[in-house]
Amino acid sequence: MIAYLKGTIAGISKSSGNRWTLILEVNQIGYELQIPPLLAQQLPEIGAITQVFTHFQIKEDQTVLYGFGSTAERDLFRQLISVSGIGAALAIALIDTLGLPDLVQAIVTGNIRALTKTPGVGNKTAERIALELKTKLSQWRTETGLSKAIPSSPSAAIIEDVEMTLLALGYTNNEVSKAIKAVSEDGLIAKSKNAEDWIRGAISWLSQAIE
């Protein structure tokens, strides 16, 4: 309904339960958005122009507009609230506690310990998040038609984990393919059978390549 809003920051405030609200003025209309605490810290000063990506949620008793710093963060939020028992507050807490890259990596690799660092997320909830969302990310990866130039090592499963993670972080198919090729040529990482090593290496390579 509303993909994003770009306007002037009119106010940022914190209420009970570590809930942050951004007032964004767009064409003389003030939009109230609930945002992750981390985004509240990253926003420029009041009066500055900024852009936030939004999710509009309609409930029986209220409507809420949520704001995020990137489309990848917004899309992951949508995936999280689609998991049984995960509401908007817990989804935002997951994103805020781990940060987008580490959260996606934890989901893809099934790192339950990392997911349970978020207050309110126990082992069973973490297992459900990892299982349901990895399945959805796997389906999404297949739908993208990402070409698979898989090297002889590591296993195809590790390459799939890397691809799912990078796609969920908003990288393009071309960027993903280049990152995997580059990391596979790194002697130390290429010997690793740990998907997390490959993921960290790919993200590091992409961050330098895109700059």
Side-chain angles (χ1 to χ4, degrees), residues 49-125:
I49 302 295
T50 194
Q51 176 175 285
V52 292
F53 298 89
T54 59
H55 173 77
F56 187 56
Q57 187 175 73
I58 301 176
K59 295 183 178 181
E60 293 182 0
D61 57 341
Q62 63 177 337
T63 58
V64 182
L65 191 60
Y66 295 94
F68 303 92
S70 68
T71 54
E73 194 173 84
R74 188 269 314 278
D75 292 346
L76 182 60
F77 170 82
R78 289 174 171 171
Q79 294 287 353
L80 285 166
I81 60 176
S82 72
V83 176
S84 175
I86 305 298
L90 192 54
I92 287 178
L94 280 158
I95 293 171
D96 197 65
T97 299
L98 296 177
L100 186 61
D102 288 347
L103 176 54
V104 173
Q105 179 175 305
I107 290 169
V108 170
T109 61
N111 190 336
I112 305 305
R113 184 176 181 181
L115 292 172
T116 54
K117 290 180 180 179
T118 302
V121 177
N123 285 337
K124 289 185 178 180
T125 300

Side-chain angles (χ1 to χ4, degrees), residues 130-172:
L131 178 61
E132 291 190 25
L133 290 196
K134 182 169 183 178
T135 298
K136 291 183 178 181
L137 291 177
S138 180
Q139 292 172 345
W140 179 32
R141 168 182 166 273
T142 300
E143 291 169 1
T144 64
L146 184 66
S147 61
K148 301 169 183 61
I150 300 177
S152 57
S153 84
S155 68
I158 290 180
I159 294 297
E160 290 176 2
D161 285 353
V162 177
E163 289 177 346
M164 280 188 283
T165 301
L166 297 181
L167 287 171
L169 292 176
Y171 292 106
T172 65

